[in-house]
Amino acid sequence: MFRGLPQYAAYQLRSDLSLPRLPSSWQWRRLASVGRKVSTSGRPEMPLLSVYLDQGVIPYSEGGRRVHAPSERLDSYQVVRPGDLVLNNQQAWRGSVGVSALHGIISPAYVIWRNSSVISAPYGRYLFRAPVMVDQYVAASRGVGGIQRDLHGPSLRNLQVPIPPLDDQIAIARYLTYTNARMGKAIAAKTRLIALLEEQAREIVNRVVTKGLDRNVSFVDSGVPWIGLLPEHWSLVPARSIFKPVSRAVTDSALPQLSLTRSAGLVPSGASGSGTIAAENSDNLQQCNRGDFVLNKYRAHMGLFRWCRTPGTVTRNYTVLKPNSRVYHDYFESLFLDPVFAEGLRINARGVGDVMSPLYTSTLMSMKMPLPPIEEQQAIVRLINADTARLNQQIALTSREIQLLQEFRTRLVADAVTGQIDVRAIAASLPRSEEHT
């Protein structure tokens, strides 16, 4: 199924080494020779569609959290038919493309390419999201900056597309559908395991971060709904008494630009998993020093709140706080990430929905926070670290297994749609009952 996959009997010689070799029976063809750009509008009653990096073309209603609502006027939205290649004009270079299995309408910001019968839709769904094509979208995009780059029409038409015989296309799609389903089940099982392990870790943190280590002490009502009872010897203070908002100019141009992630905290912008790229202009940057707390003012309640382990720069979309000597960094990071306290951050945020709900600095500074003695903060962190070490190790191991499965799946698709492996015999042996699992 996965090991010892054969190659085709013969391959073409190719002088252009930027693209992989193809089996002798395949062709490289320009995109313009296998389809055409279309744009038909005037059907506002049809279902709305969207394109997601990891999902392709899906109903707009299934997109989860969305920053941009659809236009109130849908007359200009373009009709998408099953089998159409849909490319996000400004994000295709990131892989925001897909071959649709749905009939609906999509924003004019997308390019609709209607493929001819030379490309089967099942094969196209894998091909056009594979690295061999995404690398070409990058080269075919133009623009200033790294976030939005428009597809260049002539370059798009000249994209080189690997075209196998139709029987091969059907076999490749069948094999990939089967293997993707198997790997998808494995990834889903590992993802569920991580969720269970993380829940166990959260319970450990929640048990001590606002209640302390000694259950025999006297407790008092904090008067703050999301905090509840506090040990009597703890203080309850406004954030302004332990944190000071700072806004520093960048004094060292060599400092890395940082971005906040939920899983890894502050990481270099553009790093794998950061979801961002470094800004080309430093005018909107501020400096954060080691020991500062940094929060995404729009998503602090979603876990984007960490302390800075290494100096760097962040955009003005972040709030930077300098703590005083009564703050033990790891304790307060655990407090901010605790779901119970995060609910307090959410309640105090302004806005509609979870995506763009700013937590204004003045509001944050007025929020009440538990303040245990510094020695107890340190003891709480030691217990958390000791009790969650095994869980965190298992989470890291399982996360790595998921990453390897995803990388293998991407490589398998890349090799299959370019004929680097011959999957026809295996595809013919697959049980048809599981073909579309």
Side-chain angles (χ1 to χ4, degrees), residues 239-240 243-247 319-323 361-362 364-365:
R240 70 171 63 89
F243 292 103
K244 177 184 177 181
V246 292
S247 181
T319 298
V320 180
L321 306 174
K322 181 180 179 180
T361 303
S362 58
L364 175 64
M365 292 295 96

Side-chain angles (χ1 to χ4, degrees), residues 31-44:
L31 184 63
S33 74
V34 296
R36 59 191 175 88
K37 183 180 178 181
V38 297
S39 183
T40 305
S41 56
R43 296 290 304 276

